[in-house]
Amino acid sequence: MNLKKELINITAEYFEATINFEKLTEASKKYKKLLNDLSNIEIDNEIGRQDIELENGKALGTFWAASCIDDMVRTKKFIKGIDEAIQEKIKKNKSLHILYAGTGPFASLMLPIILRYSSHNIKYTLLEINPLSFKILSSIIQKLGLETYNIQLVNEDATKYKVDTSIPDIIVSETMQNGLDKEQQVVIFYNLMSQAKLDTIFIPEKIELFIGLKESKIPAEKLQYKHFHKQHKVFELSKNTLSFKKWNSNNSINKLTFPQIQTILKKNTLKKFNQVVLITEISIFNNKKISFNESGLTIPKYLSNINHNITNSLIINSQYIINPEPRLKFEINPQKLN
Ligand SMILES: C[S@@+](CC[C@H](N)C(=O)[O-])C[C@H]1O[C@@H](n2cnc3c(N)ncnc32)[C@H](O)[C@@H]1O
C-alpha cells in the first residue's frame, strides 16, 4: 500500500467521536512503528535522549518527544480538536494557515491532518528547536512525498519566533507537563498570542491550574476524579488572560511575570483530606477537555501532606514563574493550633 494511504488508515481511530481503548492502543503502536521505520535514525541513545536547557525551560530530547505519541488519549484529543478547529475555519475561509510549534521528530499531531486535508488550501508552518528532531522531521516529510505541499519547516525557537505576514488561523503547541512544569508552553503561547489575530484559534484553548485537596483513606488504586476537590484557580493560560492584560511583560519575554495568588484553606474545609495537590485542566477546543488522569498531562501533582494534629488552617502563596525551570512556585504556611 502507498505510504500516505497507509498512514491515513492507521490514524483513522484518532478522528472517531468516542474512545475505544483497544483500537486506540493498536493505532498508536502502528503509527509510532511506521514513523520510526520511516525515520531510520536511532534515537534511543544519549544524543536522542538529551533535552535542550533554555532560559525559559527545556525542550525535550528527540527520543522523549517521539514518545509523546504513547500518551494516547492526549494524542487523540489534540488531533480531533485540530480537525474540529479546521472544520470551523474552513466554513468561512478559502485558505488557512496553521502553525505547529514544537513538532518533535514526527509532527505527530499534524501529519494525519496534513494527509487528510490535501485537497484544501492550507499552509502549514512546522516549528521545532531541536536540531535532531528537525532533521528527522525534514526527512520524513521528504520520504512521504510532502515537499510539494504548502509546508514550511522552521528550525527556530518558538518563544522568539516572529510570525510572517500571513498570521496563522490556528496555532497548536503541546510543550507542557502536568502542572505546566519545566517546559515552555507558557512563554511559547505568550509569544504567539501577542502576534495572533483576534480570531486565531489556540490549541489547547485553555490550561488551568488549581490548588486541590485529596480525600483521606482512599487506597491509591481506587483514587478517582471524585476524590480530588478543586479549591482555587491559581493560574490560567488562554487568550482570555492575555487580552485582559493580566500579563505583565514589561515588553520583554524574559521579564514575563504573573501575580502572586493567596489560597486560604480553613480547618473545616480540610477535615476529610490528607494532601494538598495541584490539578491541571486542559481544554483542547470548544470546551472539550482532557479529563483528570486521562493523560500524563492531567495527573494531579502532590504538593504537601496535611497534619491534622497541628494544623488549623493553611495559607498557600503561589506564583507561576518563568526561568530555566518554569513552574508554579508555592509556599504552604500552616496556621498552628493554639
Ligand atoms: C512534548 S514534545 C511534543 C512533540 C509532538 N508535538 C507531540 O505532541 O507528540 C514538545 C516538542 O516541542 C519542542 N520545543 C520545545 N520548546 C520549543 C521551542 N521553544 N521552540 C520550538 N520547539 C520547541 C521540543 O523540542 C519537542 O520536540
Side-chain angles (χ1 to χ4, degrees):
M1 200 192 311
N2 144 328
L3 265 176
K4 285 186 198 149
K5 280 201 182 132
E6 196 177 345
L7 259 175
I8 290 178
N9 284 345
I10 287 177
T11 56
E13 195 56 33
Y14 294 123
F15 294 82
E16 292 296 325
T18 54
I19 295 182
N20 175 324
F21 279 99
E22 211 173 304
K23 288 187 179 165
L24 190 58
T25 309
E26 197 187 324
S28 155
K29 279 188 192 148
K30 284 189 178 164
Y31 185 30
K32 193 169 172 197
K33 178 166 182 340
L34 196 146
L35 293 169
N36 269 326
D37 291 351
L38 259 183
S39 111
N40 220 5
I41 295 181
E42 185 51 67
I43 53 172
D44 189 2
N45 53 31
E46 206 184 321
I47 297 173
R49 285 169 181 261
Q50 207 157 59
D51 295 333
I52 301 176
E53 310 291 339
L54 298 148
E55 59 189 332
N56 301 310
K58 67 176 175 183
L60 290 190
T62 306
F63 175 81
W64 305 115
S67 306
C68 292
I69 290 183
D70 305 335
D71 193 343
M72 300 182 301
V73 174
R74 174 213 76 121
T75 306
K76 181 190 184 319
K77 291 205 170 172
F78 266 86
I79 293 174
K80 183 78 180 146
I82 299 166
D83 185 39
E84 286 173 10
I86 295 176
Q87 288 299 325
E88 188 173 299
K89 284 285 182 194
I90 54 179
K91 279 188 215 145
K92 298 175 220 147
N93 303 12
K94 283 205 187 89
S95 63
L96 290 185
H97 179 193
I98 303 178
L99 168 65
Y100 180 18
T103 60
F106 302 144
S108 53
L109 303 179
M110 206 58 73
L111 260 191
I113 300 281
I114 296 175
L115 295 168
R116 270 178 183 75
Y117 284 93
S118 59
S119 61
H120 288 78
N121 189 357
I122 304 183
K123 170 183 167 182
Y124 299 90
T125 301
L126 306 184
L127 189 54
E128 171 58 51
I129 195 168
N130 183 315
L132 177 58
S133 296
F134 187 76
K135 184 176 163 200
I136 295 175
L137 179 65
S138 310
S139 99
I140 284 186
I141 296 289
Q142 195 208 353
K143 283 183 188 153
L144 283 171
L146 300 178
E147 312 101 305
T148 53
Y149 288 43
N150 195 353
I151 299 175
Q152 189 192 11
L153 295 169
V154 186
N155 186 198
E156 277 185 38
D157 181 346
T159 67
K160 304 195 166 74
Y161 179 71
K162 293 277 169 270
V163 165
D164 65 21
T165 44
S166 127
I167 298 176
D169 303 284
I170 301 173
I171 296 182
V172 179
S173 189
E174 193 282 85
T175 37
M176 64 173 285
Q177 303 186 5
N178 58 341
L180 283 167
D181 272 354
K182 299 188 184 97
E183 293 184 51
Q184 303 184 84
Q185 185 91 35
V186 176
V187 183
I188 290 177
F189 263 17
Y190 177 76
N191 176 39
L192 299 174
M193 279 173 180
S194 60
Q195 302 177 63
K197 299 183 272 197
L198 259 182
D199 65 349
T200 298
I201 295 174
F202 280 79
I203 293 184
E205 65 189 353
K206 186 161 66 174
I207 303 169
E208 295 162 290
L209 301 181
F210 297 85
I211 297 283
L213 291 169
K214 179 178 101 28
E215 283 184 27
S216 333
K217 297 177 191 151
I218 315 286
E221 67 284 2
K222 297 231 165 93
L223 278 172
Q224 294 173 32
Y225 182 49
K226 63 179 182 189
H227 302 124
F228 290 83
H229 298 241
K230 285 189 286 180
Q231 298 296 312
H232 189 201
K233 178 149 81 175
V234 289
F235 188 71
E236 176 178 323
L237 176 64
S238 69
K239 271 174 78 178
N240 231 7
T241 46
L242 181 69
S243 59
F244 285 116
K245 300 203 189 321
K246 282 183 189 153
W247 308 83
N248 173 19
S249 77
N250 296 333
N251 296 325
S252 153
I253 282 170
N254 288 331
K255 294 199 183 100
L256 189 60
T257 55
F258 299 96
Q260 203 181 92
I261 308 282
Q262 187 166 82
T263 306
I264 299 178
L265 303 172
K266 296 244 168 73
K267 186 175 170 57
N268 253 353
T269 314
L270 295 174
K271 264 186 201 154
K272 292 189 311 178
F273 304 100
N274 68 344
Q275 273 180 12
V276 183
V277 294
L278 185 63
I279 294 172
T280 310
E281 282 197 355
I282 304 173
S283 194
I284 298 288
F285 177 62
N286 269 347
N287 217 14
K288 295 211 178 95
K289 300 194 169 179
I290 299 185
S291 307
F292 175 87
N293 242 350
E294 217 176 24
S295 145
L297 308 182
T298 55
I299 293 175
K301 189 183 156 192
Y302 163 85
L303 298 187
S304 163
N305 283 333
I306 303 168
N307 184 341
H308 292 280
N309 295 330
I310 57 164
T311 305
N312 195 3
S313 56
L314 292 175
I315 299 177
I316 305 170
N317 291 315
S318 60
Q319 183 178 29
Y320 193 81
I321 53 160
I322 306 288
N323 66 17
E325 218 180 295
R327 65 191 183 281
L328 187 87
K329 195 172 119 192
F330 67 93
E331 193 184 85
I332 303 186
N333 296 309
Q335 286 197 322
K336 300 260 161 67
L337 288 171
N338 291 325

